[in-house]
Amino acid sequence: MTLQNQHILIGITGGIAAYKICELIRMFKKSGADVKVIVTPNALNFVTKLTLQNLSQNDVYEGEFTPKNWKPEHISLADWADIMLIAPATANTIGKIVQGIADNLLTSVACAFSKKMIIAPAMNCNMWQNVAVQNNLNILEGRGVEILPPDNGFLACGYIGKGRLCSLEKICSAVDEALNYQQILKGKKVVITSGGTIEDIDPVRYISNYSSGKMGLSLAKTAYDMGAEVVLVTTKDVEAPYKVTKVKSALDMQNAVNNEYDGSDIIIMAAAVADYRVKNYSEQKMKKGGNENLTLELVKNPDILAELCKKRQAPLPNPLPQGARENKIIVGFCAESENLIENAKEKISKKGCDFLIANDISRKDIGFGSDNNEVTIFDKNGGINKLEKASKQVIARKILEYITNE
Ligand code: C5P
């Protein structure tokens, strides 16, 4: 592990595992990191400021109203840090961060912090299982925070169960990985689409599909963790630390993607775009009347992916518009229920994209709505790479690593 010159901000809350963080600080310092520590007032019941100050070789921060320069402390610390680690994190502090409560220095910094955050909870096993705590952790995970779940074992409160702080080695490698990971797509803008488009029929009805948007969301989160500037164009409600543009129809999606086109380095079309929309949208709710049958006339939607690839082929304007990027990577997805290889190969050449990620939708255990996926990556030069079944998060990571390494 080398963390040379990395700025690690550690938040210690009031749990008995606070004493273990003394050793953790030493581990970070030995690997070259600059460490600053914030404590909640309760943390000081378990460790002393002097110990933490000696080990981190920096001031220990506690109060909000004693800044060492003109900048409010919660902002200067948030700006200084490359990563924020909260360990041990109590149920109380986790709950406050979820709600945006900023009633001490640690929770105020957390509120002002927009970079990578890792939380290592530690608490009594019954507290850990509490629905409120679990819901709060899910919410934080959805916002891009990495949670390092506690281990099973003897707890300081006398219970045996899940609740003890995970190992310091695990925390170190999560921090190390996150910091190195942040470099991979640094300076790159990645545009990702997700979810099924919604094509209105009248004010109360629409045509759509079963896409959950989870694959695109996992890609967005992973690209963000890899340091990219991310724009997620999605039909779903998403709360995220990167830019999210909510759209409805295929035409809305095309507009939103086109608006991001010039400045983007990578475009990943993971959305399930409806191929057709109704020709004549009815401003009023359509009535049954006496009709036994109803025929809706549909017109073709633009193929957003194919048009992006066509646009890329056109000669670049000289000079390039400000902020525009050359050598874009464009990635499509396809969902096939039969002849996956033949169809995918044909599609990649027809659309003109660099990579096509093929889902086999005849499988019930993966794909639509599932948290898992198994995909095959096709590249424009004929390469085929199958990714074994794994969580969408793992698949997202492998896809991004693959398309940026080729
Ligand atoms: O042709 P097919 O729908 O299988 O292609 C799927 C890929 O093309 C996906 O990446 C999807 O986001 C994109 N697509 C599109 N515009 C459409 C239909 C699909 O960009 N109208």
Side-chain angles (χ1 to χ4, degrees), residues 75-92:
I75 304 302
S76 57
L77 285 169
D79 288 349
W80 173 85
D82 295 312
I83 193 163
M84 182 173 186
L85 164 72
I86 304 181
T90 54
N92 176 50

Side-chain angles (χ1 to χ4, degrees), residues 269-271 273-275 301-305 332-334 336 347 351:
M269 289 288 305
V273 184
D275 290 325
N301 269 327
D303 188 321
I304 309 171
L305 176 63
F333 269 69
C334 72
E336 301 295 339
K347 202 160 280 181
K351 303 240 184 197

Side-chain angles (χ1 to χ4, degrees), residues 332-405:
F333 269 69
C334 72
E336 301 295 339
S337 55
E338 54 182 352
N339 305 329
L340 184 124
I341 296 184
E342 297 75 21
N343 289 344
K345 278 184 169 173
E346 192 188 321
K347 202 160 280 181
I348 196 168
S349 71
K350 207 161 109 196
K351 303 240 184 197
C353 51
D354 302 299
F355 301 94
L356 191 70
I357 318 294
N359 283 294
D360 178 353
I361 54 164
S362 65
R363 297 263 304 267
K364 291 282 164 275
D365 55 329
I366 50 170
F368 277 148
S370 161
D371 290 331
N372 294 322
N373 211 354
E374 181 183 296
V375 300
T376 308
I377 306 179
F378 293 83
D379 70 52
K380 63 179 177 199
N381 302 319
I384 300 180
N385 181 33
K386 186 165 180 207
L387 303 183
E388 293 307 327
K389 183 175 166 184
S391 70
K392 285 185 172 168
Q393 209 57 55
V394 170
I395 296 284
R397 182 181 178 147
K398 290 190 173 166
I399 290 173
L400 283 163
E401 285 172 356
Y402 189 85
I403 65 171
T404 49
N405 273 336

Side-chain angles (χ1 to χ4, degrees), residues 93-168:
T93 294
I94 291 168
K96 286 186 200 170
I97 294 173
V98 169
Q99 294 301 327
I101 294 172
D103 64 343
N104 61 38
L105 184 62
L106 195 158
T107 50
S108 300
V109 174
C111 198
F113 197 71
S114 55
K115 287 165 266 181
K116 175 79 178 183
M117 187 186 287
I118 297 181
I119 289 186
M123 61 195 74
N124 163 271
C125 49
N126 291 335
M127 291 175 84
W128 169 253
Q129 279 167 4
N130 185 296
V131 178
V133 173
Q134 289 302 315
N135 284 347
N136 284 340
L137 290 166
N138 284 338
I139 292 172
L140 288 179
E141 242 177 348
R143 293 179 194 164
V145 175
E146 183 173 345
I147 310 293
L148 302 177
D151 286 342
N152 268 306
F154 284 103
L155 306 180
C157 54
Y159 280 70
I160 297 176
K162 192 165 179 168
R164 38 180 295 155
L165 186 74
C166 68
S167 73
L168 301 186

Side-chain angles (χ1 to χ4, degrees), residues 9 15 27 57 112 115 119 132 135 142 176 178 181 193 225 231-232 283 298 308 310 320 342 351 355 365 396 406:
L9 183 60
M27 291 161 86
Q57 297 170 347
K115 287 165 266 181
I119 289 186
N135 284 347
D176 183 42
Y181 215 52
T193 65
D225 285 348
V231 180
L232 178 66
E283 296 287 347
L298 303 180
L308 288 173
K310 216 184 280 167
L320 275 182
E342 297 75 21
K351 303 240 184 197
F355 301 94
D365 55 329
E406 274 292 286

